[in-house]
Amino acid sequence: MMYADRYRRDDPDRKFLQSREWREDIRPRQLDREPLCRFCRAIGITKPADQVDHIKRPRGDLRLQRDPSNFQCLCASHHTMKSVWERGNTKLPLVLGTTLDGWTVMATGGTIQTTEPAPAQPVPTFTSHKPSQKTFSEG
């Protein structure tokens, strides 16, 4: 059995995510409300969202499962990236990518933050340390 299958089997939100209410009401309504991937938009890309993600994992909490302020629409690749990051139980922010102008974009606790690019460092100049060419004459 693969890790993902084992994880899904033990997921306290599995029953809700397979419910008719989620599939036919909540999920389609959220995708209509937010048709573009939130993470892609943050890094300057326009890509349609095809999945609805819970910002904070409900872990069986009925209120969080249905709270519209706890939903965000993501593309499949960003949803997978976030899910893997969550399973890692890391305290570090999820790095989404870099904008065209060099800003790093991160997600932490449902908020998206950008970090200013580091100032350019002076490039050191190197001088050649080539040994001088000496010629020796026989004589």
Side-chain angles (χ1 to χ4, degrees):
M1 182 181 302
M2 293 178 49
Y3 173 78
D5 295 332
R6 193 169 49 241
Y7 172 77
R8 284 187 194 110
R9 184 186 64 215
D10 299 334
D11 186 359
D13 301 313
R14 182 176 185 197
K15 186 175 180 179
F16 170 70
L17 294 174
Q18 292 177 338
S19 72
R20 178 180 232 160
E21 177 186 12
W22 174 258
R23 286 189 335 266
E24 295 180 9
D25 183 31
I26 296 172
R27 184 179 179 280
R29 192 170 351 125
Q30 182 64 28
L31 286 168
D32 284 343
R33 194 177 301 135
E34 189 179 359
L36 299 176
C37 173
R38 187 177 291 189
F39 289 176
C40 286
R41 283 191 359 242
I43 58 175
I45 298 171
T46 303
K47 187 173 180 184
D50 51 9
Q51 299 188 12
V52 177
D53 174 61
H54 285 92
I55 295 169
K56 182 176 181 197
R57 300 261 341 248
R59 303 197 192 287
D61 182 333
L62 299 177
R63 186 187 57 78
L64 277 180
Q65 286 176 344
R66 291 162 176 81
D67 181 5
S69 67
N70 192 36
F71 301 148
Q72 62 185 351
C73 293
L74 303 175
C75 64
S77 59
H78 275 129
H79 190 242
T80 300
M81 177 192 298
K82 181 180 178 270
S83 296
V84 169
W85 174 78
E86 284 176 328
R87 288 182 199 130
N89 292 323
T90 180
K91 301 296 181 204
L92 300 173
L94 169 62
V95 177
L96 304 177
T98 306
T99 61
L100 292 175
D101 53 357
W103 291 67
T104 301
V105 182
M106 299 174 284
T108 52
T111 59
I112 296 175
Q113 305 165 348
T114 55
T115 308
E116 191 171 353
Q121 299 296 317
V123 178
T125 56
F126 296 100
T127 56
S128 174
H129 294 287
K130 206 172 155 202
S132 61
Q133 299 289 330
K134 292 186 182 178
T135 56
F136 296 97
S137 58
E138 291 182 37

